[in-house]
Amino acid sequence: MAASNAEIAELFDRYADLLEIQDANPFRVRAYRNAARVVGSSSRSMAELVAEGRDLDELPGIGEDLAAKIETIVRTGALPQLAQLEAKVPRALSDLMKLPGLGPKRVKLLYRELGIRSFEDLKRAIRSGALQALPGFGAKTAARILAGLERQGTTPQRFKLADAEQVAAPLLACLNAIQGIKTVTIAGSFRRRRDTVGDLDIVVTAKQGTPVMQRFVSYDAVTEVLLQGSTRASVRLRNGMQVDLRLMPEVSYGAALYYFTGSKAHNIAVRKIAVARGLKINEYGVYRGKTRIAGRSEDEIFASVGLPYIPPELRENRGEIEAARAGRLPKLVRLQDIRGDLHAHTTASDGHDSLEAMASAARSLGYAYLAITDHSRQVRIAHGLDPKRLRAQFAAIDRLNATFRDFRLLKSAEVDVLDDGRLDLPDAVLAEMDVVLAAVHYRLDLPADKQTTRVLKALDNRHVQILAHPTTRLINQRPEFAAHLEKVFAAAAERGVALEINAHPDRLDLDDIHARAAHAAGCKLVVSTDAHSTVGLADMRYGVDQARRAWLSAGDVLNTFPIERLQQELRH
Ligand code: DGT
Ligand code: CA
Ligand code: CA
């Protein structure tokens, strides 16, 4: 099967990493990084576009040369230029670059000066003190790198939900195309919409004699067959992800879907209820004695144990069973409840599309409003705006808004919280905005007390209405900062500052547990995409998934409201 967008993006990024270590022309490096980003965030699969014979050079920033490379990767799963480069520069150097505190310059230095070409070499150099002796590397940097290395070794690899989706889509298409297949459903943490997934669990039903297993293990992206039987198989895919498949009889489809959706903790708690009723429950059905009393659908399973249907996102044994029994399950927010997006960038800072393009994309999603939240000046790498440029943008927004009916661009900015908790723009400018987002972007290493004080100080500014990506984590890349979140939540609730569930697939911040805690603490929430392109606006669904996992109803999420109500609900 053809390479997924995520795999193509990964190869381009790897190539850019190695080029950078080789001191290649920065424009070339940037071209590959851009290609990685464009492909990685495209809503259309490159493999499909190639199959349809479409011209890939219509993609933004993709010329003929890159288009040809994408085609090669789609067809062969590899980029020959990368293999050539890897013959000269150790491939692991690109993995080293992913550690906190190590960029291309430093990795190159470590390679040249100390011959470091692997995680193991790096650990040894830190233990011996050789790394600390290099110019620009102190004990502090060494400790930071070591902490990153240790996280690497101990936590099993988990995949971001959006990446798992990209790998799953073509596999599902391949399985669905088999003659005789009836249903193919992904269960497990993927169906519960966890922010990361360990592996994929697929439940299949098919006509007798359908060659499901043979086709599954010979799927193109399979690099290793871990187990193959007549009703179950496990494989590993090119990107390292494991996929478990179970072929089930139709009478057991609901039971299997239910069992493999989990979570394990939820299953165990429900099994107790079944046992108390004199029932046995497994992946084939619910049984009284030898008689199967349920199995075909999940509804049947729930009914047999006397529970209403519990949505997969809630099945974590975090109180959902008790709530279901008491008829107190929340009516969870849905994507179609969302009326607007409150976090989006344009070319004025580090976005890739114009104000007009972003507005038009938001309108075609059926939104009533979109807040334009370009960075404030502190974020220089992202071309942050100063008051003068910001006011020019406000004027442009006014002109555009005059042309809309039933839609409004909201004047805003993602205002940086400075070291000391002051904001990066004067109050007079904040007062001109429709909505004010505050966000922490640097000095993420402050100790907990200082970080907390800093954030609380920002919330004290009466103009601040939304705290964006409140913990600053990047999934698989950077942990949350050290602030005392319960204090932040309490302060936000008291001041009426809404907390963001940032829907960007790399962030999902607040996560499910924090969002639920924030709601319990009395905070209002918003779900926003932090889109850096028109395509990014479609990430809303990932944020809604996390909001659902946080037990939120539409009424708990401010951007489900029409604009007038939104403005009443935001701090003022
Ligand atoms: P993951 O893959 O780590 O993101 O998480 P899951 O939840 O997908 O877990 P996984 O793939 O190990 O197993 C899939 C489902 O199978 C799990 O959610 C519940 C069910 N399951 C697995 N092991 C057990 C078990 O020992 N007892 C019960 N009751 N269910 C289990
Ligand atoms: Ca799984
Ligand atoms: Ca599994």
Side-chain angles (χ1 to χ4, degrees), residues 316-386:
E316 298 288 349
N317 197 27
R318 293 180 189 152
E320 74 279 10
I321 296 165
E322 296 76 4
R325 275 182 138 166
R328 282 188 289 100
L329 280 178
K331 186 169 184 291
L332 298 179
V333 59
R334 299 160 308 168
L335 181 59
Q336 62 261 43
D337 296 326
I338 300 291
R339 304 236 192 153
D341 197 330
L342 296 173
H343 191 164
H345 297 266
T346 72
T347 44
S349 64
D350 58 349
H352 301 282
D353 289 310
S354 66
L355 196 59
E356 291 80 2
M358 293 301 283
S360 146
R363 293 177 74 201
S364 56
L365 288 171
Y367 287 165
Y369 46 88
L370 172 70
I372 299 298
T373 57
D374 279 310
H375 288 285
S376 61
R377 56 193 164 183
Q378 177 68 34
V379 186
R380 271 190 213 94
I381 43 163
H383 295 288
L385 300 186
D386 58 25

Side-chain angles (χ1 to χ4, degrees), residues 303-539:
S304 72
V305 292
L307 290 174
Y309 182 84
I310 301 174
E313 294 91 332
L314 296 185
R315 299 183 200 165
E316 298 288 349
N317 197 27
R318 293 180 189 152
E320 74 279 10
I321 296 165
E322 296 76 4
R325 275 182 138 166
R328 282 188 289 100
L329 280 178
K331 186 169 184 291
L332 298 179
V333 59
R334 299 160 308 168
L335 181 59
Q336 62 261 43
D337 296 326
I338 300 291
R339 304 236 192 153
D341 197 330
L342 296 173
H343 191 164
H345 297 266
T346 72
T347 44
S349 64
D350 58 349
H352 301 282
D353 289 310
S354 66
L355 196 59
E356 291 80 2
M358 293 301 283
S360 146
R363 293 177 74 201
S364 56
L365 288 171
Y367 287 165
Y369 46 88
L370 172 70
I372 299 298
T373 57
D374 279 310
H375 288 285
S376 61
R377 56 193 164 183
Q378 177 68 34
V379 186
R380 271 190 213 94
I381 43 163
H383 295 288
L385 300 186
D386 58 25
K388 193 164 159 235
R389 287 179 62 212
L390 202 56
R391 285 187 169 120
Q393 187 183 60
F394 292 168
I397 288 178
D398 282 336
R399 283 193 298 275
L400 264 176
N401 275 342
T403 70
F404 300 138
R405 293 178 48 219
D406 307 327
F407 178 80
R408 236 179 95 189
L409 287 173
L410 300 178
K411 295 174 209 166
S412 184
E414 182 177 5
V415 188
D416 229 344
V417 176
L418 303 177
D419 302 41
D420 59 1
R422 281 179 308 123
L423 294 185
D424 189 26
L425 286 169
D427 281 359
V429 180
L430 302 183
E432 292 169 37
M433 300 183 190
D434 295 312
V435 49
V436 176
L437 243 73
V440 174
H441 286 112
Y442 71 109
R443 292 305 310 274
L444 305 179
D445 56 346
L446 287 179
D449 287 337
K450 278 201 176 136
Q451 195 69 276
T452 309
T453 309
R454 175 192 190 190
V455 175
L456 295 193
K457 172 97 189 289
L459 299 185
D460 277 339
N461 184 311
R462 66 190 174 84
H463 295 288
V464 171
Q465 292 165 304
I466 299 174
L467 181 63
H469 44 71
T471 81
T472 74
R473 73 137 172 194
L474 289 175
I475 300 175
N476 285 351
Q477 208 179 315
R478 179 170 82 203
E480 302 172 9
F481 65 5
H484 299 299
L485 290 177
E486 68 293 344
K487 289 189 186 157
V488 172
F489 295 168
E494 194 186 312
R495 291 159 182 70
V497 175
L499 298 182
E500 180 182 77
I501 296 177
N502 187 296
H504 193 290
D506 296 341
R507 289 194 183 267
L508 300 178
D509 176 17
L510 298 174
D511 69 10
D512 53 354
I513 292 182
H514 288 324
R516 192 171 174 200
H519 179 240
C523 296
K524 300 174 180 189
L525 290 135
V526 300
V527 181
S528 307
T529 61
D530 202 350
H532 282 68
S533 66
T534 53
V535 174
L537 290 170
D539 289 334

Side-chain angles (χ1 to χ4, degrees), residues 158 188-190 192 194 196-199 201 244 259-264 267-268 271:
R158 296 187 63 83
S189 50
F190 184 95
R192 302 197 311 278
R194 263 193 75 171
T196 60
V197 306
D199 68 5
D201 307 280
D244 299 336
Y259 182 91
F260 292 110
T261 295
S263 65
K264 189 170 164 179
N267 287 358
I268 290 170
R271 187 191 295 144

